[in-house]
Amino acid sequence: MGSILEDIRGEHANMAVLLRILDEQIEIFAAGGRPDYERLQDIVLYFADFPDECHHPKEDLVAEKLLEIAPERAARLRGLGELHEELSQLTQNMAHIVRRVLDEAELPRAQLVRAAKEFIESQRHHMRMEEEHFLPLADELLNEGDLAELDQELFARVDPLFGTDTQRHYAMLRDFIIKSGGADG
């Protein structure tokens, strides 16, 4: 098992694959085609589950540690939890719209496209910020002892899609990703 920082980077890479697939499906929908609604729903359900339950708490632990050891240098991380809350709200909104579409509710096509584009861009922007600012600061300031301490604080939840024991609900999505060459199997 790698360090918490390696886990976070790996999870970002996995989420980037999902965002690419979601973007492709939304482009099909925007062009008037019929996307793979089940895949679209699975991706949104994944984002409604894993980041809030496992990924963001890891980042929050790292941010707390950085604020503890270098409060001035890590000051911009004080709002990370709020950013995670905003992403959670966007995800819940996206999940609600997808459910409505799947329930065949009257919904303008543009509403789903707009919500999906906002969701995708917000997720990508957030990960980019973390990759460019948050993680390099953690690489610089955290030593082996700090990383070991953080690893001890992690809870046992594993990624339900990309972990070693893929949950049955996500098995078809994982198979699609592997076949498309989007993630390591």
Side-chain angles (χ1 to χ4, degrees), residues 103-172:
D103 290 342
E104 299 179 13
E106 286 294 320
L107 188 75
R109 188 174 289 266
Q111 185 177 356
L112 173 59
V113 172
R114 187 173 45 255
K117 293 290 185 185
E118 180 182 8
F119 171 79
I120 292 166
E121 185 50 39
S122 294
Q123 291 286 343
R124 285 177 174 159
H125 175 77
H126 181 74
M127 288 190 300
R128 200 169 33 251
M129 179 276 298
E130 290 176 343
E131 292 287 333
E132 293 173 1
H133 302 289
F134 169 63
L135 290 171
L137 184 63
D139 286 333
E140 179 185 340
L141 296 177
L142 298 177
N143 62 38
E144 291 295 321
D146 296 325
L147 293 172
E149 180 184 321
L150 290 169
D151 286 339
Q152 288 286 315
E153 292 185 43
L154 289 178
F155 42 91
R157 175 108 198 274
V158 297
D159 187 320
L161 174 59
F162 294 100
T164 56
D165 187 24
T166 302
Q167 290 179 4
R168 186 174 57 192
H169 178 79
Y170 292 115
M172 287 176 45

